[in-house]
């Protein structure tokens, strides 16, 4: 068996082995277990053993895992302690707290997405408002221009009619 550590097994997880190629982790673990059961040609000394023979997976229960005393000696006491901690089921209070945290993080994510959407809508609405203001100002300028032309026309008509009145009055006064 190779000295590479065994991985935790998850459904659908694949592992590459140079001898066997890509395969399911459970199938590779079983093939490594069969290889370990057959007597190796060159036995590794305990000082060169880098990984434990049996590493528990997340899918195994504590009863199905052999006790550390019956297994081969662990290569590192810290790793052994880590595996012991992984075997301990989390307390209900801790699990409930993590579920609450996960639910709140999910709600926060949804609310942040809603906030981004509302901000985008507010930006678009602000752009529409700016466009409407510009359009209104343009129409008001058009109205002002037309009103100025009408005022100019009215002044000219007033001057022309005043001039015509004075000319007509002058002609009428001459005939008397």
């Amino acid at each position: 068996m190779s000295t590479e550590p065994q991985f935790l097994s998850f459904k659908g997880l694949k592992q590459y082995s140079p001898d066997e190629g890509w395969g399911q982790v459970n199938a590779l673990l079983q093939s490594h277990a069969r290889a370990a059961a057959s007597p190796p040609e060159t036995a590794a000394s305990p000082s060169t053993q880098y990984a434990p023979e049996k590493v528990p997976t997340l899918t195994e229960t504590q009863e199905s895992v052999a006790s550390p005393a019956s297994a081969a000696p662990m290569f590192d006491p810290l790793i052994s302690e880590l595996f012991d901690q992984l075997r301990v089921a989390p307390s209900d209070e801790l699990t409930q707290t993590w579920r609450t945290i996960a639910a709140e993080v999910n709600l926060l994510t949804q609310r942040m997405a809603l906030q981004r959407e509302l901000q985008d809508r507010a930006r678009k609405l602000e752009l529409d408002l700016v466009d409407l203001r510009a359009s209104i100002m343009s129409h008001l300028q058009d109205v002002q221009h037309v009103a100025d032309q009408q005022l100019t026309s009215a002044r000219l008509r007033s001057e022309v009619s005043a001039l015509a009145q004075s000319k007509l009055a002058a002609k009428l006064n001459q005939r008397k």
Side-chain angles (χ1 to χ4, degrees):
M1 184 173 139
S2 68
T3 58
E4 63 187 48
Q6 297 174 353
F7 295 100
L8 298 177
S9 175
F10 296 102
K11 184 176 181 180
L13 187 66
K14 295 194 180 246
Q15 182 177 1
Y16 181 76
S17 171
D19 298 330
E20 300 168 10
W22 286 101
Q24 297 293 331
V25 172
N26 289 336
L28 288 174
L29 289 176
Q30 290 172 359
S31 69
H32 285 301
R34 284 193 300 270
S38 66
E41 296 171 4
T42 58
S45 66
S47 62
T48 61
Q49 184 175 2
Y50 294 109
E53 288 297 317
K54 177 68 177 156
V55 177
T57 64
L58 292 177
T59 58
E60 294 177 339
T61 61
Q62 189 171 2
E63 294 81 27
S64 66
V65 177
S67 67
S70 67
M74 296 298 281
F75 66 94
D76 189 355
L78 294 176
I79 298 293
S80 175
E81 183 179 337
L82 175 65
F83 286 132
D84 290 340
Q85 289 175 3
L86 288 174
R87 284 187 206 110
V88 174
S91 68
D92 290 334
E93 180 182 328
L94 184 61
T95 302
Q96 184 58 36
T97 304
W98 277 111
R99 285 183 182 150
T100 303
I101 289 170
E104 289 174 348
V105 165
N106 188 23
L107 184 62
L108 178 67
T109 303
Q110 290 173 355
R111 297 279 168 88
M112 289 173 67
L114 180 61
Q115 181 185 29
R116 280 190 299 271
E117 179 185 336
L118 290 175
Q119 286 173 343
D120 288 342
R121 289 176 59 189
R123 273 189 227 106
K124 289 176 184 175
L125 185 60
E126 183 65 30
L127 291 175
D128 287 346
L129 291 174
V130 168
D131 289 343
L132 283 173
R133 286 182 187 124
S135 176
I136 290 170
M137 291 302 293
S138 173
H139 292 303
L140 285 174
Q141 287 174 351
D142 291 344
V143 167
Q144 181 67 38
H145 182 69
V146 170
D148 287 344
Q149 285 179 346
Q150 289 175 349
L151 182 61
T152 304
S153 295
R155 278 193 195 132
L156 285 175
R157 280 191 301 254
S158 171
E159 289 176 7
V160 166
S161 97
L163 183 62
Q165 181 186 10
S166 67
K167 292 279 185 179
L168 186 60
K171 279 189 177 189
L172 287 176
N173 284 339
Q174 279 179 356
R175 288 188 187 171
K176 288 188 187 181

